[in-house]
Amino acid sequence: RPDVGFHSVGQSFDRRLAPEFGAERCTSTPFTTLETYPAAMTHADIAIAPAGSSNFFRGKSDLRFLEAAALGLPVVADPAVYATVVHGVTGLHAATPDEAREAMVALVDDAVLRRELGAAARAYVERERSSTVTARAWAEALKIAA
């Protein structure tokens, strides 16, 4: 897909891809302040959230999905870490590189699917995980603990 680019946020994975796909199609935003990441994510039409079976990945939260969802981006995510992603509703699960490729190609090729998954993911975040919703849950927990 010669019209598709790759933008990495936080890591310079673009350097690994540039020799094969060209530097003009492979860019990155380096590690920086936390406030920069949402702006950097606006370079994307699709977010990817790979993982693995190491303790590093088992200790991760679903933050990458939440960040992408808040921006209305569909995500291709490993189901072991990103169980809150509902496959085919708020994103696509991919447990292997082949599954990730298939999911990314599906999203690249289908703008309607990208918009639908991104909109559903954003609605989920607004309904279930926004700061307003979680603040109410914390307030209730603190009342019970008091």
Side-chain angles (χ1 to χ4, degrees):
R1 308 283 189 299
D3 58 330
V4 174
F6 174 84
H7 187 84
S8 179
V9 179
Q11 294 279 347
S12 56
F13 294 123
D14 59 310
R15 293 181 189 156
R16 295 182 187 174
L17 299 173
E20 183 174 352
F21 299 104
E24 68 282 355
R25 292 177 55 198
C26 302
T27 58
S28 68
T29 300
F31 281 114
T32 185
T33 60
L34 184 62
E35 297 81 17
T36 303
Y37 288 101
M41 289 179 68
T42 65
H43 290 282
D45 294 317
I46 299 166
I48 57 173
S53 59
S54 70
N55 287 337
F56 173 78
F57 287 109
R58 281 192 290 273
K60 290 185 82 161
S61 72
D62 62 351
L63 180 60
R64 186 170 303 164
F65 164 62
L66 298 176
E67 292 168 333
L71 294 168
L73 295 175
V75 65
V76 175
D78 188 306
V81 174
Y82 300 94
T84 53
V85 173
V86 178
H87 183 76
V89 178
T90 59
L92 297 176
H93 281 153
T96 68
D98 287 341
E99 289 175 3
R101 182 184 189 285
E102 181 180 316
M104 288 186 288
V105 168
L107 290 169
V108 165
D109 289 347
D110 192 338
V112 172
L113 180 62
R114 283 195 311 272
R115 284 192 298 273
E116 288 175 351
L117 293 179
R122 184 176 176 129
Y124 164 78
V125 168
E126 290 172 348
R127 184 181 65 250
E128 304 288 335
R129 303 290 290 276
S130 71
S131 59
T132 303
V133 171
T134 55
R136 287 187 207 120
W138 274 107
E140 190 61 33
L142 292 172
K143 285 180 190 175
I144 293 168

